[in-house]
């Protein structure tokens, strides 16, 4: 019985360390950048991608998120007006993000 418990504990520890490695590897592929008043980040997805942003200026500014032009969605860009100092996120459907531009 003791050998079984030790074996299960060893497996659990190994699984936890592998899980931590996988989680670290997934976040390493995130795109991060700054444009104008904005800092942003996103991890490219297949069907949707969530773009996280922060307007570091004190006034409302425009953030434009561009997708590939051959996207199955009808629009190739999303324009957001973000209050000064605000943080938020935008879920982008259909396709890869090609560029994020803040003004």
């Amino acid at each position: 019985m003791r050998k079984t418990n030790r074996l299960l504990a060893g497996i659990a520890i190994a699984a936890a360390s592998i899980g931590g490695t996988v989680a670290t590897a997934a976040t390493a592929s995130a795109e991060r950048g700054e444009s104008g008043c904005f800092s942003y980040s996103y991890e490219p997805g297949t069907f949707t991608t969530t773009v996280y942003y922060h307007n570091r200026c004190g006034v409302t500014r425009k953030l434009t998120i561009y997708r590939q032009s051959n996207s199955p969605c009808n629009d190739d860009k999303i324009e957001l007006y973000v209050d000064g100092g605000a943080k938020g996120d935008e879920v982008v459907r259909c396709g890869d993000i090609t560029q994020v531009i803040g003004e």
Side-chain angles (χ1 to χ4, degrees):
M1 185 74 164
R2 281 190 161 159
K3 282 188 174 185
T4 303
N5 287 342
R6 286 183 186 166
L7 177 62
L8 292 175
I11 292 171
I13 291 170
S17 66
I18 291 170
T21 303
V22 171
T24 303
T27 57
S29 66
E31 299 285 333
R32 299 181 192 285
E34 295 179 0
S35 179
C37 288
F38 289 92
S39 59
Y40 64 87
S41 67
Y42 63 90
E43 187 169 338
T46 304
F47 299 108
T48 63
T49 298
T50 302
V51 177
Y52 299 92
Y53 54 83
H54 177 207
N55 179 354
R56 298 171 296 152
C57 291
V59 296
T60 300
R61 296 287 188 194
K62 182 170 80 170
L63 180 69
T64 306
I65 303 168
Y66 291 92
R67 282 192 289 239
Q68 285 184 327
S69 59
N70 62 353
S71 167
C73 293
N74 292 334
D75 51 344
D76 61 344
K77 67 181 177 178
I78 297 170
E79 293 180 334
L80 305 170
Y81 290 88
V82 182
D83 292 337
K87 295 179 181 181
D89 60 77
E90 179 71 16
V91 177
V92 179
R93 305 176 295 118
C94 305
D96 296 325
I97 294 174
T98 58
Q99 195 172 24
V100 178
I101 297 179
E103 297 178 8

